Amino acid sequence: MKLTDEERNILIAIVIAAAAGLIINIFFSYNNKIQATESVSAPMLININTASAEELDRLPGVGKVTAERIVKLRETDGLFTSADDLKKIKGMTMKKIEKMRKYITTEAAK
Amino acid sequence: MNRPLFFITAALIFGMVAAGFTSINYIPAFIILGVAVTAYIFLNKKFGQLVFLVFAVFGMALFSFQDTYVPKNDIRAYLQGVNAETDNKNGITAVKVLVRDDPEYNDNKTLFYGELISVFEKGREITGISGQVRVTLEKDLGFKPRYGDILYIKGKLREPEPPKNLGEFDYKRYLRYKQVFYTVFAKDTACEKQGSRIDNLFKQVSYGVKYKLLEVIYSSVPKAEADILNGLMLGNQRVIPDDVYDRFKITGTVHILAVSGMNVGLIGLFIFLVLKVFRVKRKAAAVITLLFIIIFAVITGAGASIVRATIMGCVVLVGQILEKDTNLINSLSIAAFILLLFNPSNLYDVGFQLSFLATFGIIYFIDWVEAKIKGMPKWLSGTLASSVAAQLFLTPVMADTFHQTSVISVLANIFIVPLSGMISILGFAMWLFGSWSAALGKIFGASIWVMIKFMMLIVDTLAKAPYAAISIKTMPALLVIIYYLFFIILPYDDIDIKLKNTGLKTVLGISLLICFPLHLLLPGDKPAFYALSARGVNAALLVTGDNKKVLMLGRDDYKNNFGVKNTLIPFLRYEGVNNIDKLVLYSVENSANIAALKRSFMIKGIAADPLSFARLDNDKGAVKIAEDYYIKEGSKTFLTFSTDGVDAAFGDKEILFLKSISPGIEKRTGCVIYSCVADKNAVLPLAKNNICVINSANEGFYRKPPPVEADNIWDLSEKGMFKYP
């Protein structure tokens, strides 16, 4: 395998970079610098157990009044276990719930 | 003729330019083609001229065809006769589209081109409609469409608006060159996936590769540097913060964030090296590399620059497979010919112009420049020569399109180009190893992280140099001709033109030496007041009798800097502004707006009300407008700054820029008043005896209130930029 000067220099640079990278990883807590990034496929979800009325307002089919009703129901009846619990809200239909289902989660507040 | 393809492509371009200047329909153009060819065959035997004529007329016909032919089922034909310039007059309330390519994502928006499948008008679905639309989804809940998705989008179909201000980017023309005539804007909550259809499996596979590569980048490198690496390797500029992008522009190194020939060359080099290590035979390696560079072109969006580089790369690789030498000028010509054949409007695409001019300049000029800078190491002289050559050929286009050129570009590129090349090579290694093992990816990621930090240190330092980038007005056509003629004949002997023993090169050189600095330095502005139709900010420029520039900003939208970035700064560049003598700020809450102006221009003094003053960065000499005070600016303009606004004596009129309307203002007469308060009821009393200027769109970014219709009121959002006198 006969390498040109350019190819040889590139291979040397790659080896040096690998060595330097290994040192940085071991001695400089490199892992901590890499923040968890948003997965390319996962959309943001609104937690109906913790979201404010303003955040709930962003859901399709939910206006200011419905958002406030959701917050009030949460305060009086406790946390929602699933999106279907929203049926109890005045003005909420199954069609609206189906439309917003992919945008919501019901993880309990910590 | 040893460059026949260059000659043919030149003829094609000549014909297309001719068609661009006339509005000839394609049918007469084809008739002219037939008549001209027939006449020429009978009258003239010179083959070369016949070939030129044929391709010139072919180019003219092709351009005219694309420009004037509208298919029967096209959305334009459907909406013909309907005035679509005002809201929803065309009656379309929703569309169904096929996502045609990989969408671009940033923090706030998702953008993509969609093929129309149907439109919805008055609740009725109308199928059989064709055409492309540019879709923008405002990111609310993070819905991410993909290539091949069929989407129902509740949004109005609108024609893009032409620019309303001088120097503003012509988005309508930009889309027209891509054969896109309508836009759709909606929140992502108004968008629903209804199916999918993959027309191009190769594209789908390529995009799958792209997502994998992005995962490796973002899991191996910290986010800030990963965004820059994303731009450098995949050309995704949307993820790069505005201030970082600006610094690359100021230093003339922004080209490294656009995928082009350098990326293709580096990929070719890397793949060849890897295959060589695995002892793959040369011809097989050429075929595999060819496949990789085509995939790379697809995943980076197949813009004019990368397609040009890919075609040239393919020509070189095919030459290797067939064991034939290749001529770079002919390769460049093939690339141009193919791109123009598929879309003649590419000729007017800025990306096409910059890419081809820079490449042509480098090929044409590099040997001559390198011969003048002997004694340097090869890597340095090569980088310097190509930087100089590219810069020389690009300056007129940069002046016309961006009204800006970087003074330190040559110096910056000496450092940045080799560094970015090395980062890219290590990035390929990171992709290769990181696809097997995240730990291996992080090893290379760490080195890349350090190198990017070093690169940013250089860019940040150089960008702070005074006048690192200067505004440059569009060059007059004659100056452009002299400019290019001079540099084209510069490498050759002078041509005697029998004019007092001087040659053509000497005459052109002297003309350039006199005219170019004059063009740069002569102040062109007469005293004037400009009010801009800018989104999210109230902005006005006052040019005084002694050519001082006073820039006034008021009541900006703290959430976005669209108006400053996309309207105000391009306008100032267009006007050739390099210095702002006084920047006056009223209720400017978005510190990014102030920072963008400080990066782009030399600001000699700032006066700010308390709210804006708090957003300043300990600027020396900045004055807080807390009470009335007076400043005399020269002998011809007298400026007063108060907590309500600016009052300028301007010839026989007074110009007021008001943050708020205080009692008593309505008693003023004969003034030009810009009111940052766009409330109709507040402004109407002023308009009785004054010319009033408002920007009614600034009350809400996408919720445009009804325009204010009244005599003496100029609503910038409706009528565009205002200028007095």
Tab-separated table of all heavy atoms in Angstrom, chain B residues 88-135:
chain	number	residue	atom	x	y	z
B	88	ASN	N	-56.172	36.023	2.091
B	88	ASN	CA	-57.191	35.017	1.829
B	88	ASN	C	-58.137	35.343	0.696
B	88	ASN	O	-59.221	34.796	0.590
B	88	ASN	CB	-58.016	34.763	3.105
B	88	ASN	CG	-58.548	33.334	3.120
B	88	ASN	OD1	-58.041	32.463	2.437
B	88	ASN	ND2	-59.595	33.105	3.876
B	89	LYS	N	-57.771	36.253	-0.200
B	89	LYS	CA	-58.685	36.565	-1.291
B	89	LYS	C	-58.834	35.370	-2.205
B	89	LYS	O	-59.808	35.256	-2.936
B	89	LYS	CB	-58.148	37.768	-2.084
B	89	LYS	CG	-58.672	39.093	-1.636
B	89	LYS	CD	-59.451	39.767	-2.739
B	89	LYS	CE	-60.143	41.017	-2.230
B	89	LYS	NZ	-59.824	42.202	-3.003
B	90	ASN	N	-57.807	34.476	-2.199
B	90	ASN	CA	-57.932	33.326	-3.068
B	90	ASN	C	-58.799	32.242	-2.452
B	90	ASN	O	-59.089	31.248	-3.100
B	90	ASN	CB	-56.538	32.754	-3.433
B	90	ASN	CG	-55.753	32.299	-2.223
B	90	ASN	OD1	-56.326	31.810	-1.256
B	90	ASN	ND2	-54.451	32.464	-2.249
B	91	GLY	N	-59.248	32.394	-1.223
B	91	GLY	CA	-60.227	31.492	-0.639
B	91	GLY	C	-59.694	30.148	-0.172
B	91	GLY	O	-60.437	29.310	0.313
B	92	ILE	N	-58.410	29.924	-0.328
B	92	ILE	CA	-57.866	28.621	0.079
B	92	ILE	C	-57.505	28.688	1.563
B	92	ILE	O	-56.779	29.580	1.984
B	92	ILE	CB	-56.646	28.261	-0.779
B	92	ILE	CG1	-57.127	27.973	-2.200
B	92	ILE	CG2	-55.912	27.044	-0.222
B	92	ILE	CD1	-56.025	27.803	-3.208
B	93	THR	N	-58.050	27.744	2.325
B	93	THR	CA	-57.854	27.789	3.770
B	93	THR	C	-56.972	26.656	4.277
B	93	THR	O	-56.558	26.662	5.425
B	93	THR	CB	-59.200	27.702	4.496
B	93	THR	OG1	-59.899	26.559	3.987
B	93	THR	CG2	-60.022	28.953	4.279
B	94	ALA	N	-56.731	25.655	3.417
B	94	ALA	CA	-55.876	24.533	3.839
B	94	ALA	C	-55.304	23.870	2.596
B	94	ALA	O	-55.831	24.018	1.488
B	94	ALA	CB	-56.673	23.528	4.661
B	95	VAL	N	-54.209	23.139	2.797
B	95	VAL	CA	-53.578	22.430	1.675
B	95	VAL	C	-53.168	21.043	2.125
B	95	VAL	O	-52.981	20.787	3.322
B	95	VAL	CB	-52.323	23.186	1.149
B	95	VAL	CG1	-52.692	24.530	0.578
B	95	VAL	CG2	-51.276	23.337	2.233
B	96	LYS	N	-53.030	20.153	1.144
B	96	LYS	CA	-52.448	18.839	1.424
B	96	LYS	C	-51.181	18.758	0.590
B	96	LYS	O	-51.216	19.007	-0.629
B	96	LYS	CB	-53.415	17.729	1.019
B	96	LYS	CG	-53.065	16.369	1.626
B	96	LYS	CD	-53.929	15.258	1.109
B	96	LYS	CE	-55.259	15.214	1.784
B	96	LYS	NZ	-56.025	13.991	1.444
B	97	VAL	N	-50.067	18.479	1.246
B	97	VAL	CA	-48.783	18.487	0.524
B	97	VAL	C	-47.993	17.221	0.818
B	97	VAL	O	-48.165	16.589	1.865
B	97	VAL	CB	-47.917	19.723	0.897
B	97	VAL	CG1	-48.617	21.015	0.576
B	97	VAL	CG2	-47.487	19.689	2.344
B	98	LEU	N	-47.103	16.914	-0.113
B	98	LEU	CA	-46.134	15.839	0.073
B	98	LEU	C	-44.798	16.510	0.385
B	98	LEU	O	-44.354	17.386	-0.371
B	98	LEU	CB	-46.033	15.017	-1.211
B	98	LEU	CG	-44.910	13.980	-1.292
B	98	LEU	CD1	-45.175	12.832	-0.322
B	98	LEU	CD2	-44.761	13.448	-2.709
B	99	VAL	N	-44.183	16.145	1.476
B	99	VAL	CA	-42.892	16.738	1.850
B	99	VAL	C	-41.837	16.248	0.866
B	99	VAL	O	-41.559	15.049	0.781
B	99	VAL	CB	-42.499	16.362	3.300
B	99	VAL	CG1	-41.156	17.005	3.658
B	99	VAL	CG2	-43.566	16.806	4.272
B	100	ARG	N	-41.267	17.186	0.142
B	100	ARG	CA	-40.453	16.837	-1.026
B	100	ARG	C	-38.986	16.563	-0.692
B	100	ARG	O	-38.295	15.911	-1.452
B	100	ARG	CB	-40.535	18.023	-1.990
B	100	ARG	CG	-40.402	17.687	-3.440
B	100	ARG	CD	-40.101	18.917	-4.218
B	100	ARG	NE	-38.781	19.440	-3.885
B	100	ARG	CZ	-38.271	20.537	-4.410
B	100	ARG	NH1	-38.976	21.233	-5.266
B	100	ARG	NH2	-37.086	20.962	-4.076
B	101	ASP	N	-38.517	17.131	0.399
B	101	ASP	CA	-37.119	16.902	0.767
B	101	ASP	C	-37.003	16.938	2.291
B	101	ASP	O	-38.009	17.049	2.977
B	101	ASP	CB	-36.194	17.938	0.117
B	101	ASP	CG	-36.687	19.359	0.346
B	101	ASP	OD1	-37.420	19.585	1.328
B	101	ASP	OD2	-36.378	20.238	-0.471
B	102	ASP	N	-35.807	16.813	2.783
B	102	ASP	CA	-35.633	16.762	4.223
B	102	ASP	C	-35.861	18.147	4.821
B	102	ASP	O	-35.191	19.100	4.440
B	102	ASP	CB	-34.209	16.287	4.548
B	102	ASP	CG	-34.073	15.871	5.991
B	102	ASP	OD1	-35.024	15.233	6.499
B	102	ASP	OD2	-33.052	16.171	6.605
B	103	PRO	N	-36.807	18.284	5.759
B	103	PRO	CA	-37.070	19.612	6.317
B	103	PRO	C	-35.876	20.151	7.092
B	103	PRO	O	-35.026	19.398	7.560
B	103	PRO	CB	-38.248	19.364	7.272
B	103	PRO	CG	-38.894	18.123	6.769
B	103	PRO	CD	-37.777	17.294	6.232
B	104	GLU	N	-35.833	21.477	7.183
B	104	GLU	CA	-34.815	22.123	8.009
B	104	GLU	C	-35.462	22.488	9.346
B	104	GLU	O	-36.583	23.002	9.363
B	104	GLU	CB	-34.348	23.435	7.354
B	104	GLU	CG	-33.709	23.259	6.003
B	104	GLU	CD	-33.553	24.596	5.296
B	104	GLU	OE1	-32.762	25.425	5.766
B	104	GLU	OE2	-34.252	24.822	4.291
B	105	TYR	N	-34.740	22.197	10.410
B	105	TYR	CA	-35.278	22.505	11.740
B	105	TYR	C	-34.364	23.501	12.435
B	105	TYR	O	-33.151	23.420	12.328
B	105	TYR	CB	-35.333	21.250	12.619
B	105	TYR	CG	-36.029	20.058	12.006
B	105	TYR	CD1	-35.288	18.962	11.576
B	105	TYR	CD2	-37.412	20.020	11.878
B	105	TYR	CE1	-35.918	17.858	11.018
B	105	TYR	CE2	-38.042	18.919	11.326
B	105	TYR	CZ	-37.298	17.849	10.905
B	105	TYR	OH	-37.916	16.751	10.353
B	106	ASN	N	-34.961	24.457	13.169
B	106	ASN	CA	-34.173	25.188	14.145
B	106	ASN	C	-35.025	25.310	15.402
B	106	ASN	O	-36.042	24.640	15.514
B	106	ASN	CB	-33.671	26.536	13.604
B	106	ASN	CG	-34.801	27.512	13.348
B	106	ASN	OD1	-35.920	27.312	13.787
B	106	ASN	ND2	-34.494	28.582	12.629
B	107	ASP	N	-34.623	26.153	16.332
B	107	ASP	CA	-35.335	26.208	17.615
B	107	ASP	C	-36.781	26.652	17.475
B	107	ASP	O	-37.626	26.295	18.279
B	107	ASP	CB	-34.612	27.184	18.561
B	107	ASP	CG	-33.313	26.582	19.066
B	107	ASP	OD1	-33.183	25.346	19.032
B	107	ASP	OD2	-32.424	27.349	19.467
B	108	ASN	N	-37.063	27.488	16.461
B	108	ASN	CA	-38.392	28.092	16.384
B	108	ASN	C	-39.265	27.579	15.252
B	108	ASN	O	-40.475	27.713	15.313
B	108	ASN	CB	-38.258	29.611	16.169
B	108	ASN	CG	-37.384	30.235	17.201
B	108	ASN	OD1	-37.565	29.985	18.383
B	108	ASN	ND2	-36.400	30.992	16.771
B	109	LYS	N	-38.628	27.053	14.199
B	109	LYS	CA	-39.403	26.772	12.995
B	109	LYS	C	-38.978	25.473	12.331
B	109	LYS	O	-37.857	24.998	12.494
B	109	LYS	CB	-39.189	27.884	11.964
B	109	LYS	CG	-39.811	29.216	12.315
B	109	LYS	CD	-39.732	30.142	11.131
B	109	LYS	CE	-38.552	31.027	11.256
B	109	LYS	NZ	-38.698	32.407	11.017
B	110	THR	N	-39.909	24.971	11.523
B	110	THR	CA	-39.582	23.880	10.595
B	110	THR	C	-39.917	24.372	9.201
B	110	THR	O	-41.004	24.914	8.968
B	110	THR	CB	-40.433	22.634	10.923
B	110	THR	OG1	-40.146	22.223	12.253
B	110	THR	CG2	-40.126	21.508	9.961
B	111	LEU	N	-38.987	24.192	8.264
B	111	LEU	CA	-39.214	24.687	6.907
B	111	LEU	C	-38.971	23.563	5.912
B	111	LEU	O	-38.026	22.782	6.065
B	111	LEU	CB	-38.247	25.840	6.591
B	111	LEU	CG	-38.329	27.042	7.503
B	111	LEU	CD1	-37.173	27.059	8.478
B	111	LEU	CD2	-38.295	28.324	6.677
B	112	PHE	N	-39.811	23.507	4.897
B	112	PHE	CA	-39.598	22.519	3.830
B	112	PHE	C	-40.349	22.940	2.580
B	112	PHE	O	-41.210	23.830	2.605
B	112	PHE	CB	-40.040	21.116	4.281
B	112	PHE	CG	-41.478	21.007	4.697
B	112	PHE	CD1	-42.472	20.707	3.758
B	112	PHE	CD2	-41.856	21.184	6.015
B	112	PHE	CE1	-43.803	20.599	4.141
B	112	PHE	CE2	-43.189	21.078	6.407
B	112	PHE	CZ	-44.160	20.790	5.472
B	113	TYR	N	-40.005	22.292	1.458
B	113	TYR	CA	-40.736	22.467	0.212
B	113	TYR	C	-41.720	21.313	0.076
B	113	TYR	O	-41.366	20.155	0.316
B	113	TYR	CB	-39.785	22.475	-0.984
B	113	TYR	CG	-38.889	23.688	-1.015
B	113	TYR	CD1	-37.577	23.612	-0.566
B	113	TYR	CD2	-39.365	24.914	-1.484
B	113	TYR	CE1	-36.760	24.732	-0.567
B	113	TYR	CE2	-38.550	26.036	-1.498
B	113	TYR	CZ	-37.258	25.938	-1.032
B	113	TYR	OH	-36.449	27.040	-1.035
B	114	GLY	N	-42.948	21.640	-0.282
B	114	GLY	CA	-43.968	20.605	-0.428
B	114	GLY	C	-44.544	20.588	-1.837
B	114	GLY	O	-44.701	21.625	-2.473
B	115	GLU	N	-44.846	19.380	-2.303
B	115	GLU	CA	-45.560	19.229	-3.584
B	115	GLU	C	-47.041	19.256	-3.269
B	115	GLU	O	-47.516	18.464	-2.460
B	115	GLU	CB	-45.247	17.856	-4.212
B	115	GLU	CG	-43.848	17.653	-4.712
B	115	GLU	CD	-43.623	18.232	-6.096
B	115	GLU	OE1	-44.559	18.809	-6.690
B	115	GLU	OE2	-42.486	18.122	-6.572
B	116	LEU	N	-47.783	20.115	-3.946
B	116	LEU	CA	-49.222	20.188	-3.698
B	116	LEU	C	-49.909	18.922	-4.181
B	116	LEU	O	-49.639	18.446	-5.281
B	116	LEU	CB	-49.823	21.391	-4.430
B	116	LEU	CG	-49.716	22.743	-3.739
B	116	LEU	CD1	-50.202	23.841	-4.657
B	116	LEU	CD2	-50.517	22.764	-2.440
B	117	ILE	N	-50.804	18.401	-3.340
B	117	ILE	CA	-51.637	17.263	-3.748
B	117	ILE	C	-53.064	17.769	-3.965
B	117	ILE	O	-53.735	17.419	-4.929
B	117	ILE	CB	-51.614	16.155	-2.682
B	117	ILE	CG1	-50.197	15.583	-2.554
B	117	ILE	CG2	-52.617	15.068	-2.999
B	117	ILE	CD1	-50.019	14.604	-1.415
B	118	SER	N	-53.525	18.586	-3.023
B	118	SER	CA	-54.849	19.184	-3.173
B	118	SER	C	-54.908	20.460	-2.347
B	118	SER	O	-54.055	20.698	-1.498
B	118	SER	CB	-55.939	18.215	-2.727
B	118	SER	OG	-55.772	17.902	-1.355
B	119	VAL	N	-55.941	21.255	-2.623
B	119	VAL	CA	-56.182	22.459	-1.825
B	119	VAL	C	-57.634	22.429	-1.346
B	119	VAL	O	-58.470	21.751	-1.932
B	119	VAL	CB	-55.895	23.756	-2.611
B	119	VAL	CG1	-54.441	23.805	-3.056
B	119	VAL	CG2	-56.826	23.908	-3.800
B	120	PHE	N	-57.907	23.173	-0.292
B	120	PHE	CA	-59.261	23.199	0.283
B	120	PHE	C	-59.796	24.622	0.205
B	120	PHE	O	-59.193	25.564	0.726
B	120	PHE	CB	-59.208	22.728	1.748
B	120	PHE	CG	-58.826	21.293	1.880
B	120	PHE	CD1	-57.492	20.911	1.794
B	120	PHE	CD2	-59.791	20.310	2.070
B	120	PHE	CE1	-57.121	19.578	1.910
B	120	PHE	CE2	-59.424	18.976	2.183
B	120	PHE	CZ	-58.091	18.604	2.097
B	121	GLU	N	-60.934	24.720	-0.483
B	121	GLU	CA	-61.519	26.048	-0.678
B	121	GLU	C	-62.979	25.973	-0.254
B	121	GLU	O	-63.736	25.151	-0.774
B	121	GLU	CB	-61.423	26.416	-2.160
B	121	GLU	CG	-61.652	27.871	-2.451
B	121	GLU	CD	-61.364	28.220	-3.899
B	121	GLU	OE1	-61.448	27.330	-4.751
B	121	GLU	OE2	-61.055	29.397	-4.162
B	122	LYS	N	-63.347	26.789	0.690
B	122	LYS	CA	-64.716	26.811	1.222
B	122	LYS	C	-65.157	25.410	1.653
B	122	LYS	O	-66.255	24.967	1.344
B	122	LYS	CB	-65.694	27.374	0.186
B	122	LYS	CG	-65.466	28.843	-0.089
B	122	LYS	CD	-66.296	29.350	-1.253
B	122	LYS	CE	-65.835	30.768	-1.601
B	122	LYS	NZ	-66.332	31.208	-2.880
B	123	GLY	N	-64.271	24.708	2.307
B	123	GLY	CA	-64.601	23.390	2.840
B	123	GLY	C	-64.528	22.260	1.832
B	123	GLY	O	-64.694	21.093	2.145
B	124	ARG	N	-64.287	22.578	0.569
B	124	ARG	CA	-64.291	21.574	-0.493
B	124	ARG	C	-62.849	21.250	-0.885
B	124	ARG	O	-62.032	22.146	-1.063
B	124	ARG	CB	-65.000	22.201	-1.708
B	124	ARG	CG	-65.701	21.242	-2.644
B	124	ARG	CD	-66.630	22.030	-3.580
B	124	ARG	NE	-66.018	23.202	-4.154
B	124	ARG	CZ	-65.512	23.264	-5.397
B	124	ARG	NH1	-65.510	22.197	-6.168
B	124	ARG	NH2	-64.982	24.396	-5.857
B	125	GLU	N	-62.553	19.926	-1.048
B	125	GLU	CA	-61.190	19.555	-1.448
B	125	GLU	C	-61.114	19.550	-2.970
B	125	GLU	O	-61.924	18.919	-3.646
B	125	GLU	CB	-60.820	18.166	-0.916
B	125	GLU	CG	-59.371	17.793	-1.249
B	125	GLU	CD	-58.951	16.458	-0.666
B	125	GLU	OE1	-59.805	15.767	-0.086
B	125	GLU	OE2	-57.754	16.125	-0.786
B	126	ILE	N	-60.107	20.243	-3.485
B	126	ILE	CA	-59.903	20.289	-4.938
B	126	ILE	C	-58.623	19.551	-5.266
B	126	ILE	O	-57.533	19.960	-4.885
B	126	ILE	CB	-59.839	21.742	-5.426
B	126	ILE	CG1	-61.187	22.391	-5.152
B	126	ILE	CG2	-59.507	21.837	-6.906
B	126	ILE	CD1	-61.183	23.811	-4.824
B	127	THR	N	-58.768	18.426	-5.951
B	127	THR	CA	-57.613	17.574	-6.256
B	127	THR	C	-57.093	17.881	-7.657
B	127	THR	O	-57.674	18.691	-8.392
B	127	THR	CB	-57.992	16.093	-6.156
B	127	THR	OG1	-59.116	15.872	-7.025
B	127	THR	CG2	-58.393	15.712	-4.740
B	128	GLY	N	-56.009	17.212	-8.018
B	128	GLY	CA	-55.458	17.402	-9.358
B	128	GLY	C	-54.701	18.703	-9.526
B	128	GLY	O	-54.458	19.156	-10.640
B	129	ILE	N	-54.335	19.296	-8.398
B	129	ILE	CA	-53.570	20.564	-8.453
B	129	ILE	C	-52.092	20.216	-8.295
B	129	ILE	O	-51.740	19.358	-7.485
B	129	ILE	CB	-53.998	21.489	-7.281
B	129	ILE	CG1	-55.467	21.839	-7.407
B	129	ILE	CG2	-53.125	22.721	-7.215
B	129	ILE	CD1	-55.796	22.953	-8.350
B	130	SER	N	-51.260	20.889	-9.070
B	130	SER	CA	-49.818	20.639	-8.931
B	130	SER	C	-49.091	21.952	-8.612
B	130	SER	O	-49.677	23.025	-8.675
B	130	SER	CB	-49.260	20.031	-10.211
B	130	SER	OG	-49.257	21.012	-11.231
B	131	GLY	N	-47.837	21.811	-8.264
B	131	GLY	CA	-47.032	22.991	-7.949
B	131	GLY	C	-46.327	22.787	-6.628
B	131	GLY	O	-46.665	21.871	-5.879
B	132	GLN	N	-45.370	23.636	-6.365
B	132	GLN	CA	-44.621	23.525	-5.115
B	132	GLN	C	-44.927	24.715	-4.223
B	132	GLN	O	-45.195	25.806	-4.714
B	132	GLN	CB	-43.119	23.517	-5.406
B	132	GLN	CG	-42.673	22.290	-6.160
B	132	GLN	CD	-41.194	22.314	-6.352
B	132	GLN	OE1	-40.460	22.033	-5.421
B	132	GLN	NE2	-40.757	22.666	-7.543
B	133	VAL	N	-44.875	24.467	-2.932
B	133	VAL	CA	-45.055	25.553	-1.969
B	133	VAL	C	-43.939	25.500	-0.942
B	133	VAL	O	-43.384	24.434	-0.673
B	133	VAL	CB	-46.423	25.471	-1.237
B	133	VAL	CG1	-47.550	25.756	-2.186
B	133	VAL	CG2	-46.618	24.135	-0.571
B	134	ARG	N	-43.640	26.650	-0.388
B	134	ARG	CA	-42.673	26.719	0.697
B	134	ARG	C	-43.484	26.763	1.991
B	134	ARG	O	-44.277	27.668	2.202
B	134	ARG	CB	-41.818	27.976	0.566
B	134	ARG	CG	-40.797	28.166	1.664
B	134	ARG	CD	-39.739	27.116	1.668
B	134	ARG	NE	-38.597	27.470	2.493
B	134	ARG	CZ	-37.653	26.634	2.865
B	134	ARG	NH1	-37.702	25.368	2.486
B	134	ARG	NH2	-36.632	27.041	3.580
B	135	VAL	N	-43.259	25.782	2.852
B	135	VAL	CA	-44.046	25.678	4.075
B	135	VAL	C	-43.183	26.056	5.274
B	135	VAL	O	-42.041	25.585	5.403
B	135	VAL	CB	-44.579	24.241	4.265
B	135	VAL	CG1	-45.386	24.150	5.554
B	135	VAL	CG2	-45.423	23.810	3.075
